[in-house]
């Protein structure tokens, strides 16, 4: 048996995450298994900077530098052999994004790759969905982040189409933009690409759908119904921000974004005709680890 330690740093619009994973390779030729050794989440809301001022603020930059320094120490303690850091929409849209990544590298020696929406979707999609996917069924994979939403449609075991939309939880908190055009584009794209699919099912990824699933009390592997998602959306909207923190135990940086996230998943279900959504608890960090192990990034 061989155990390899790999790590992924996911620099999102709502939070920054460090995932340390064990990759276990059996001697009898079995596929390697990936298990989480540690997961650290730091709520640095970069999207609040970028989607309002188009720049990463000095305060956020300094917090990122401290986070990267801390992550490096944690990886050293865990004995990580290889890691990869990827940044998504907030960093790629920031005018000073390149300057910020260069300064972080200079001060911490952590190299950050700023990836586009399609690459982000491809990395997430590379995670293991074999426990859910059936080759004779159709699925809509929806990953809702702070700044963008990646949607991949696949049927008969093959990708039919995929697209990244500039709509996400942190971006939707910015009331300056109604996002009417983006909502219409998602509706048209989803209806056009799913009209011939029979009984498609949604697969949801992202911190918010993971939290919604946890609140449901369902066992892993069980789907959430469209009816449940509608009821949960109305329930969450009926509560105040403070109540969502005190009564549901949500983190302050989760209590506001969970509502726009639920709206995106609900809209995707409605426009695609999906009645169920599976939540396999996977994300960009998981995809980075797998893609790195198989030499894809």
């Amino acid at each position: 048996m061989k155990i390899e330690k790999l790590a992924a740093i996911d620099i999102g619009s709502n939070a920054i995450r460090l995932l340390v994973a064990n990759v276990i390779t059996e001697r009898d030729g079995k596929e390697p298994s990936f298990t989480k050794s540690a997961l650290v989440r730091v709520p640095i809301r970069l999207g609040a900077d970028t989607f309002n001022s188009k720049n990463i603020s000095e305060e956020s930059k300094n917090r990122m530098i401290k986070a990267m320094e801390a992550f490096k120490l944690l990886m050293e303690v865990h004995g990580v052999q290889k890691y990869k850091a990827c940044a998504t929409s907030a960093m790629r849209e920031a005018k000073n994004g390149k300057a910020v990544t260069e300064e972080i590298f200079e001060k911490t020696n952590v190299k950050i790759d700023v990836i586009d929406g399609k690459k982000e979707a491809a990395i997430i999609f590379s995670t293991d969905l074999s426990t859910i996917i059936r080759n004779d069924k159709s699925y809509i994979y929806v990953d809702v982040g702070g700044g963008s939403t990646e949607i991949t449609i696949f049927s008969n075991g093959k990708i039919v189409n995929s697209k990244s939309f500039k709509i996400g939880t942190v971006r939707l908190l910015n009331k300056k933009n109604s996002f009417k055009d983006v909502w219409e584009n998602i509706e048209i794209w989803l209806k056009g690409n799913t009209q011939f699919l029979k009984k498609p099912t949604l697969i949801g990824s992202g911190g918010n759908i993971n939290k919604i699933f946890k609140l449901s009390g369902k066992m892993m592997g069980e789907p959430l119904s469209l009816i449940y998602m509608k009821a949960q959306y109305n329930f969450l909207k009926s509560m105040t921000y403070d109540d969502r923190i005190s009564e549901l135990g949500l983190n302050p940086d989760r209590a506001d974004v969970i509502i726009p996230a639920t709206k995106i998943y609900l809209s995707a279900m409605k426009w695609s005709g999906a009645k169920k959504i599976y939540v396999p608890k996977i994300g960009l960090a998981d995809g980075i680890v797998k893609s790195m192990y198989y030499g894809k990034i």
Side-chain angles (χ1 to χ4, degrees):
M1 179 185 292
K2 181 185 175 184
I3 301 176
E4 191 175 351
K5 287 266 190 181
L6 300 179
I9 299 173
D10 167 13
I11 302 168
S13 301
N14 192 42
I16 296 175
R17 299 169 184 84
L18 167 68
L19 169 66
V20 178
N22 293 321
V23 184
I24 304 169
T25 308
E26 303 284 352
R27 289 180 178 176
D28 55 6
K30 289 182 181 177
E31 286 290 313
S33 62
F34 297 78
T35 59
K36 291 179 183 178
S37 178
L39 179 63
V40 181
R41 180 179 181 273
V42 183
I44 303 175
R45 190 168 279 184
L46 298 177
D49 291 341
T50 301
F51 308 143
N52 284 299
S53 67
K54 306 298 182 185
N55 281 290
I56 302 298
S57 68
E58 192 72 14
E59 181 187 355
S60 294
K61 181 194 71 178
N62 290 333
R63 292 180 70 198
M64 284 180 70
I65 290 169
K66 289 178 181 178
M68 293 306 115
E69 289 172 340
F71 286 177
K72 278 200 74 177
L73 288 172
L74 283 169
M75 289 189 289
E76 186 179 333
V77 170
H78 279 279
V80 169
Q81 295 151 278
K82 189 178 178 183
Y83 75 91
K84 187 85 171 176
C86 294
T88 54
S89 58
M91 286 293 286
R92 66 177 171 249
E93 291 182 35
K95 291 179 180 177
N96 63 341
K98 188 173 185 292
V100 169
T101 58
E102 288 174 351
E103 185 173 343
I104 289 173
F105 179 71
E106 182 184 329
K107 292 183 176 179
T108 70
N109 207 34
V110 174
K111 184 179 182 298
I112 298 171
D113 287 340
V114 181
I115 58 175
D116 60 29
K118 285 208 168 185
K119 187 166 185 181
E120 182 180 351
I123 291 172
I124 297 168
F125 191 76
S126 70
T127 54
D128 186 13
L129 298 173
S130 60
T131 56
I132 296 174
I133 292 174
R134 288 172 50 185
N135 287 336
D136 60 341
K137 299 288 184 181
S138 298
Y139 302 88
I140 300 98
Y141 186 93
V142 182
D143 178 71
V144 177
S148 64
T149 294
E150 326 302 333
I151 303 178
T152 303
I153 298 170
F154 53 105
S155 186
N156 299 319
K158 295 180 180 179
I159 294 177
V160 176
N161 207 345
S162 67
K163 192 172 178 65
S164 177
F165 295 92
K166 277 191 177 183
I167 197 165
T169 57
V170 178
R171 201 187 291 270
L172 284 170
L173 292 178
N174 182 358
K175 303 298 183 183
K176 296 176 185 176
N177 193 331
S178 68
F179 295 98
K180 183 181 176 182
D181 291 346
V182 185
W183 284 116
E184 288 177 353
N185 288 339
I186 296 174
E187 180 179 2
I188 292 168
W189 189 86
L190 268 175
K191 285 182 176 179
N193 283 279
T194 61
Q195 60 181 324
F196 300 113
L197 302 182
K198 292 182 179 179
K199 295 182 179 180
T201 298
L202 236 72
I203 297 174
S205 70
N208 289 291
I209 193 65
N210 289 343
K211 181 58 69 175
I212 292 167
F213 184 83
K214 187 176 181 180
L215 291 172
S216 74
K218 283 186 172 287
M219 299 288 289
M220 279 300 296
E222 293 182 38
L224 300 177
S225 68
L226 176 61
I227 294 171
Y228 173 82
M229 290 293 288
K230 284 180 179 177
Q232 187 70 350
Y233 179 60
N234 291 326
F235 171 65
L236 290 167
K237 278 208 308 180
S238 71
M239 302 179 78
T240 66
Y241 172 77
D242 291 348
D243 286 343
R244 289 194 290 273
I245 294 171
S246 60
E247 295 182 26
L248 299 181
L250 299 182
N251 289 329
D253 67 307
R254 179 75 67 205
D256 53 357
V257 295
I258 197 168
I259 292 177
T262 310
K263 182 180 179 180
I264 295 174
Y265 290 112
L266 257 180
S267 300
M269 293 179 82
K270 175 186 173 184
W271 294 330
S272 65
K275 303 298 182 186
K276 296 177 181 179
I277 178 170
Y278 283 93
V279 187
K281 291 191 74 173
I282 54 177
L284 182 63
D286 303 271
I288 292 171
V289 167
K290 285 206 168 184
S291 297
M292 189 166 42
Y293 178 78
Y294 289 111
K296 294 180 180 179
I297 59 173

